[in-house]
Amino acid sequence: MSGYRRRTAAAAGAGVEVASRRGRPDRRRSRFVVRFAAAGSDVERLAAAFDYARGAASRRHPDPAEAAAAVESAVSALVTAGDRLLELQAREPLSAGRSRQ
């Protein structure tokens, strides 16, 4: 790889435009956007968003306290959403054809 870097540096000095490599955050974000757009259901979109956040949380962070606060906020929002969805399910009738006894 060192030869690649030297050739790239030489080409850059010669006035040739060199394509810069996208960073990890850009690549992860673009893969997430594609997966999210391809999701066909709410559950698939939720899984894509969760995997994106989980991947970001698994990395080291320059400010661990701020990262922990962001994770705590996300966890709280997920638990609140889960509680709300379960409340909505609890209101649904058990069966459309049968009456409660």
Side-chain angles (χ1 to χ4, degrees), residues 5-92:
R5 284 191 292 264
R6 274 188 252 140
R7 284 192 302 273
T8 302
V16 176
E17 186 176 331
V18 177
S20 63
R21 188 177 136 201
R22 291 188 330 180
R24 174 176 281 137
D26 293 335
R27 288 191 313 271
R28 285 185 176 213
R29 178 70 177 180
S30 66
R31 282 191 297 249
F32 162 68
V33 168
V34 168
R35 183 176 171 200
F36 191 82
S41 70
D42 293 340
V43 173
E44 289 174 353
R45 285 192 297 277
L46 182 62
F50 178 78
D51 289 344
Y52 175 69
R54 184 178 57 174
S58 68
R59 296 302 209 183
R60 283 183 285 140
H61 301 282
D63 186 353
E66 189 173 340
V71 169
E72 183 60 34
S73 174
V75 168
S76 177
L78 282 170
V79 169
T80 301
D83 289 345
R84 180 71 179 131
L85 290 169
L86 289 173
E87 287 173 10
L88 292 171
Q89 288 175 355
R91 286 193 227 154
E92 184 178 14

